Amino acid sequence: MVATLVKLRWRLTINSLRGVWWKILLEAWLFLNLFAFLAFAIGGLIALGMLGWRYTPQVLSVLVTLTVTGWLIFPLLITGADNSLEPRQLRLWVVPSRKLAAGLIVAAGAGGPGIITGLVLLTTVITWLLHGSVAAAAFALVNMVLAWLTAVIGSRWLVTAAALGYRRRSRELVTSLGILLIIGLAQVPNLIFSLHLDSSLSGWLKLARYSQYLPTAWAGAAPAQAASGNYLLASAFTVSSALLVGGLYWLWQRALNKAMTANVTTNDKGAGKNSELSKVFAAQEFFTKFMPSPAATVCARSLRYLVRDFRLRISFIACIFMIVLFMVVFIGQAQRSGSAIMVYFASLMISIVMGLSVADDLATDSTAIHTSLLSGISGLHERLGRLAATAIWQLPLVLVVSLIAPLLSNQAKHLPILLGLNLAVWGVVVGVAQILAVVFPYQTNPPEASPFSAKGSGADALLASLAQMGSMLASMLLVTPTIALSVYCGVSENFQLAWLCVVLGVVNALVVMVVGVRMGGKLLDGRWARLLFTISQWPGHTQSHTQS
């Protein structure tokens, strides 16, 4: 069964490329990059062993730790890159068994990332031999296999268990708390800088010494301890790594059995639906004072989904996380260096990412398309209502960042430049997104699905990224007038003229948003049915209008 699953994995990968030339080119480009990375990593490890550096054991231990940790975390952050052989997709064809569990692990590791990780880990054996430690090489030969198993089994278990344990309301709270925990951990770089560990090699060595007791570091710490002659501790780390692999495999078997037998249908209508609808109607009546009634309806509905739909709420939390992260890291660097470059970089990245977060707003909600198509809402009003809803929750964040960032970094004189530039960049990106969402909708998870479940293929995700990069490039070209005036005022330190940046930035943003809404609305009028059909082809989206 193991060989069959490995063949099936590669057969699915090859079949997904047939007849699609751009996917073939993208996969070829990815393969070349992975091959270049493999050559660089193996060459670097061999050179590290030949150097005979005294800190080679610590470096190898940290590299193994980061590799295993990355395998455990990375799949949760970019789910959808590989949905082949997902357990829930196999439950109609095969029953769960020990052979199936082992076969899925081997098939998961037989992909490009798994093969490259295995080769890089095994290269550390050569590094230890060149370093002159045969005992460490012997321990590395065993522990690198255990590290690879820990990475592959742990990643499969985490993704499967996270998707299995998802219940729309209860898991939303847990995931939100997890994201808030990540926000707290984002302050670790600032703590490291404040402790001046970056300028003290002994501080980093102390950090590496303490980190070896983490479960993901055991396999990398065993050869390092053997190199220093501490064979007892090296053996303890090896045994602990083997027990960790056994425990993870047991958890993986349990998660696989549940994933292939559990009932995944959910129903979460909510007892207070009438109360929420009354709030929507009240909001709609209020917005009618500022925009046409159809646009006000769309705006109120979009704000309701921002609160009710976990996918949109994750977008909001991600924006908050990004703001905190950039403030902690880059603003702290600006305070130490006295330069305003980091302030501009952090603020502009926040504005760009927040604007791009709505570049696929139509694809996240087939309910809105279905409702608008039946009620005869024009594309112009649909785009205008969604733009207004986006401005209600994003514009205050842009203003707060533009005002607080220069003050916290002791660069208050740059405030008007930064304010005008941020308003222009955010407004232009959002305006371009009104067109991108209509022209290029890309696949998202359905409303009831786990945020950890796979969506699309790696090529689809890469194509979506390229589309966003193209829209960002177009946005930067459209915001050129504001950028030019901001650069002039900043370089010449003409801060009296800098307040014109605010005026120009607002005008620049309004022009692009108006054009974006009109063009996007006109395109949407001719694409309602096509857009609804496209979204209905995605797994789980055919019934989404009855669940939201």
Side-chain angles (χ1 to χ4, degrees):
M1 179 176 285
V2 174
T4 302
L5 289 173
V6 173
K7 292 179 182 178
L8 179 59
R9 173 197 171 91
W10 283 103
R11 179 65 61 85
L12 291 174
T13 302
I14 294 173
N15 288 343
S16 65
L17 300 177
R18 288 182 177 177
V20 187
W21 62 270
W22 58 265
K23 283 189 176 182
I24 297 176
L25 293 178
L26 290 178
E27 293 292 345
W29 180 76
L30 289 175
F31 174 79
L32 291 176
N33 279 273
L34 289 175
F35 182 79
F37 170 78
L38 177 62
F40 174 79
I42 292 178
L45 288 173
I46 293 176
L48 182 63
M50 296 176 63
L51 286 176
W53 192 31
R54 56 179 297 191
Y55 298 115
T56 296
Q58 289 83 357
V59 172
L60 290 177
S61 178
V62 171
L63 288 178
V64 174
T65 303
L66 293 177
T67 300
V68 176
T69 305
W71 263 84
L72 298 179
I73 297 177
F74 203 57
L76 296 177
L77 300 179
I78 59 164
T79 52
D82 184 11
N83 63 347
S84 58
L85 301 184
E86 188 177 356
R88 290 187 179 184
Q89 297 179 355
L90 298 174
R91 59 182 179 175
L92 296 177
W93 314 105
V94 65
V95 295
S97 64
R98 293 183 178 179
K99 290 184 178 180
L100 178 63
L104 289 176
I105 291 300
V106 176
I115 294 174
I116 290 177
T117 301
L119 292 175
V120 171
L121 289 177
L122 289 177
T123 306
T124 60
V125 178
I126 302 176
T127 305
W128 284 115
L129 289 174
L130 295 174
H131 189 66
S133 179
V134 178
F139 273 93
L141 184 60
V142 176
N143 280 274
M144 293 308 100
V145 176
L146 294 174
W148 185 86
L149 290 173
T150 302
V152 177
I153 298 174
S155 65
R156 296 306 304 156
W157 167 65
L158 280 176
V159 173
T160 303
L164 178 66
Y166 181 78
R167 295 298 181 270
R168 187 170 185 184
R169 294 305 169 198
S170 59
R171 300 306 299 176
E172 286 174 5
L173 177 61
V174 175
T175 307
S176 300
L177 292 176
I179 293 176
L180 293 178
L181 177 61
I182 295 176
I183 294 177
L185 293 176
Q187 300 186 26
V188 171
N190 188 54
L191 176 63
I192 292 177
F193 282 117
S194 64
L195 294 177
H196 302 289
L197 292 181
D198 55 322
S199 59
S200 173
L201 182 59
S202 61
W204 285 109
L205 293 177
K206 184 184 296 184
L207 194 63
R209 185 167 64 251
Y210 288 137
S211 67
Q212 69 180 344
Y213 298 102
L214 296 173
T216 54
W218 291 341
Q225 292 297 330
S228 61
N230 195 345
Y231 299 111
L232 181 61
L233 188 56
S235 301
F237 278 135
T238 303
V239 173
S240 299
S241 297
L243 293 175
L244 178 61
V245 170
L248 288 174
Y249 188 74
W250 178 76
L251 292 173
W252 155 247
Q253 283 185 311
R254 288 177 58 87
L256 176 65
N257 291 335
K258 289 184 179 180
M260 299 186 68
T261 57
N263 182 14
V264 297
T265 59
T266 58
N267 189 9
D268 189 27
K269 298 296 182 180
K273 189 172 183 179
N274 292 333
S275 175
E276 291 186 5
L277 289 177
S278 64
K279 295 179 181 178
V280 173
F281 292 145
Q284 175 185 345
E285 183 179 356
F286 174 76
F287 292 141
T288 306
K289 302 177 182 178
F290 308 98
M291 64 187 76
S293 180
T297 302
V298 175
C299 180
R301 184 182 61 205
S302 299
L303 291 176
R304 175 179 179 266
Y305 286 166
L306 179 63
V307 177
R308 293 277 299 172
D309 195 323
F310 184 55
R311 299 167 299 169
L312 301 180
R313 192 155 66 243
I314 281 292
S315 176
F316 175 78
I317 296 175
C319 290
I320 301 298
F321 157 72
M322 179 184 55
I323 291 174
V324 175
L325 175 64
F326 277 44
M327 287 291 186
V328 169
V329 177
F330 294 102
I331 302 303
Q333 293 182 8
Q335 288 178 338
R336 288 185 294 273
S337 63
S339 174
I341 296 179
M342 288 298 177
V343 182
Y344 281 97
F345 175 79
S347 302
L348 293 178
M349 285 302 299
I350 290 172
S351 299
I352 291 172
V353 174
M354 281 202 301
L356 287 176
S357 67
V358 297
D360 197 33
D361 56 354
L362 291 175
T364 59
D365 184 18
S366 59
T367 307
I369 301 176
H370 187 265
T371 303
S372 299
L373 184 61
L374 294 178
S375 59
I377 294 180
S378 66
L380 176 63
H381 290 152
E382 177 74 23
R383 295 284 77 199
L384 178 59
R386 288 183 176 270
L387 176 62
T390 300
I392 288 175
W393 73 269
Q394 285 194 1
L395 187 56
L397 295 178
V398 174
L399 292 175
V400 168
V401 171
S402 303
L403 296 175
I404 292 182
L407 297 178
L408 291 179
S409 58
N410 300 322
Q411 300 288 342
K413 59 185 179 180
H414 291 272
L415 190 151
I417 302 177
L418 195 61
L419 178 60
L421 197 56
N422 268 344
L423 290 174
V425 169
W426 173 81
V428 169
V429 173
V430 170
V432 173
Q434 303 306 308
I435 303 175
L436 180 64
V438 179
V439 175
F440 188 79
Y442 47 90
Q443 185 173 346
T444 62
N445 279 328
E448 298 290 343
S450 165
F452 303 108
S453 60
K455 50 181 183 296
S457 64
D460 293 333
L462 184 57
L463 185 63
S465 300
L466 292 176
Q468 288 195 348
M469 291 174 59
S471 67
M472 187 168 63
L473 178 61
S475 300
M476 293 303 100
L477 293 176
L478 293 173
V479 82
T480 300
T482 307
I483 293 178
L485 180 59
S486 300
V487 170
Y488 170 76
C489 294
V491 173
S492 64
E493 296 187 354
N494 190 346
F495 297 108
Q496 291 77 19
L497 186 63
W499 287 103
L500 287 178
C501 294
V502 179
V503 179
L504 181 58
V506 172
V507 173
N508 198 169
L510 288 176
V511 169
V512 176
M513 284 193 292
V514 169
V515 174
V517 167
R518 289 188 175 275
M519 288 185 62
K522 186 176 181 179
L523 291 172
L524 186 57
D525 285 332
R527 292 173 176 256
W528 280 116
R530 186 191 309 176
L531 194 59
L532 184 60
F533 175 78
T534 300
I535 298 176
S536 66
Q537 301 303 303
W538 299 336
H541 283 263
T542 54
Q543 301 295 328
S544 62
H545 65 275
T546 65
Q547 295 175 347
S548 296

